[in-house]
Amino acid sequence: MAEFRHFRAFVEIAARGSFTAGADALRLTQSTISEQIAALEKELGTRLFERGRHGAHLTESGRRLLEPAQRLLRMATDIERQAPMGEERGPVLRVGATMGPLFMRLPEVVHSLQQEEAGLKVRLRDIPTAEALLQIGLGELDLGILSVLDRSFHSALGTGIESVVLAEEDWVILAPIGHELAGHRAVPLDRIRNEPLILFPRPYALRMVIDEAFSRAGISVEPTIETGWLATAVRCVELGLGISLVPRAVTMSQTADVAVLDIDEPVIPRRVLTAIYRSDSDSLGLIERFLELLRHHPPFD
């Protein structure tokens, strides 16, 4: 008989596109997760995945099963949250946010909301955009605050998931004060192609923005330093270790001694800050208040 863990394995593989990635997410061996899928396929009497060199892809039967399986996992999460465990528990709001200038604003928002809501616990996690999307769909997060490439992202969201654009901002170049470019107001990307570059790691949505900008300019680059920590990137620039590209809001929250240059390109790289949540969430009131408070903190004011 199919078990809950079989459906969880199925959803993880479907979301991540491979048995290996699904096994890593669930901290299982690949043989274990393969056995679970085999058991589920045997119970349902149908093949759920086609496996190939480029990962695992859902069959027609798998596509039909995905939404009910996701719904099952959300129900299990809701039951777990609402079931009493010893002492009476207060409300909990689970928030996932991608690394970026916005993350520096969240502590103030969390503090303000907990001052308003007696007994509220806010669980705040720094996670990648793709992981936040998965956890929102499974009901494991109440609110995701993400950095995405453009507004077309919203059309790709699943049924029952709402999205709100919080802000859009362009990017700037950070250069050491003594660098020859520091005296310019704006520079094209071609001027920095041979400089030591300090960029976000490739899994980050923020890195995708920059890679796309370089691609439009016909440039291929290999960064000298990769870091997801903004403070580290800015400090490296300050010490003359290279040049970085960051969202403009970083310059509002950093006091480092660096030159801030505009990007002189026909299409300026931008990022979109977006909030996503389920429209049927039990925490909808808290989510709306959280977003209202967030809009009153830079870079939104």
Side-chain angles (χ1 to χ4, degrees), residues 6-301:
H6 298 153
F7 290 105
R8 181 58 194 263
F10 165 74
V11 170
E12 288 288 348
I13 295 169
R16 300 176 191 281
S18 78
F19 277 64
T20 300
D24 289 345
L26 294 174
R27 294 181 173 82
L28 299 173
T29 64
Q30 190 167 342
S31 60
T32 297
I33 204 170
S34 295
E35 290 170 2
Q36 292 182 0
I37 295 303
L40 182 59
E41 289 178 329
K42 181 178 180 181
E43 177 66 25
L44 299 178
T46 186
R47 190 171 180 82
L48 300 173
F49 292 102
E50 296 292 348
R51 300 173 69 169
R53 290 186 304 165
H54 302 294
H57 305 283
L58 289 172
T59 63
E60 181 59 34
S61 296
R63 285 190 287 273
R64 289 198 301 269
L65 177 62
L66 184 57
E67 176 55 32
Q70 290 174 325
R71 191 161 59 245
L72 172 66
L73 299 186
R74 287 197 297 272
M75 290 174 60
T77 301
D78 290 342
I79 291 171
E80 182 180 344
R81 291 185 69 191
Q82 295 174 18
M85 296 177 61
E87 299 179 4
E88 186 70 22
R89 295 184 297 177
V92 176
L93 183 67
R94 304 160 302 170
V95 182
T98 56
M99 176 63 68
L102 178 60
F103 206 72
M104 302 173 189
R105 312 301 179 192
L106 296 183
E108 288 86 351
V109 175
V110 171
H111 178 263
S112 298
L113 190 60
Q114 290 187 155
Q115 291 293 104
E116 293 180 6
E117 301 285 339
L120 172 66
K121 294 181 180 179
V122 178
R123 296 176 181 166
L124 181 61
R125 297 181 58 207
D126 175 15
I127 59 177
T129 294
E131 188 66 26
L133 284 169
L134 174 62
Q135 292 191 25
I136 288 286
L138 297 181
E140 295 173 356
L141 278 181
D142 300 306
L143 173 64
I145 302 174
L146 315 175
S147 181
V148 299
L149 297 179
D150 55 47
R151 288 174 177 261
S152 64
F153 159 86
H154 305 277
S155 63
L157 293 176
T159 304
I161 298 182
E162 300 291 334
S163 66
V164 177
V165 173
L166 300 173
E168 295 184 54
E169 60 177 336
D170 58 4
W171 288 58
V172 294
I173 296 170
L174 300 186
I177 289 296
H179 196 279
E180 62 177 350
L181 296 177
H184 294 70
R185 185 188 65 80
V187 297
L189 292 178
D190 188 63
R191 290 287 300 274
I192 65 171
R193 66 187 305 168
N194 295 319
E195 297 285 343
L197 293 177
I198 304 160
L199 303 179
F200 295 99
R202 275 220 157 79
Y204 281 62
L206 295 176
R207 174 63 181 274
M208 294 172 63
V209 175
I210 290 305
D211 283 347
E212 183 177 307
F214 278 123
S215 178
R216 279 198 303 264
I219 299 170
S220 177
V221 298
E222 188 64 37
T224 300
I225 298 173
E226 290 188 348
T227 177
W229 293 93
L230 287 164
T232 300
V234 174
R235 181 59 175 157
C236 287
V237 174
E238 190 176 32
L239 293 174
L241 300 180
I243 286 176
S244 189
L245 293 92
V246 298
R248 187 177 294 276
V250 173
T251 65
M252 303 175 187
S253 58
Q254 298 285 341
T255 59
D257 192 14
V258 298
V260 181
L261 316 173
D262 289 335
I263 298 174
D264 184 10
E265 293 290 339
V267 179
I268 305 299
R270 297 178 64 80
R271 73 159 178 167
V272 181
L273 296 173
T274 302
I276 63 168
Y277 55 90
R278 294 199 60 83
S279 57
D280 59 357
S281 173
D282 292 336
S283 303
L284 195 56
L286 288 173
I287 291 170
E288 291 173 345
R289 181 57 183 149
F290 189 101
L291 296 178
E292 183 181 351
L293 288 168
L294 185 59
R295 292 189 184 97
H296 287 85
H297 288 75
F300 305 105
D301 57 7

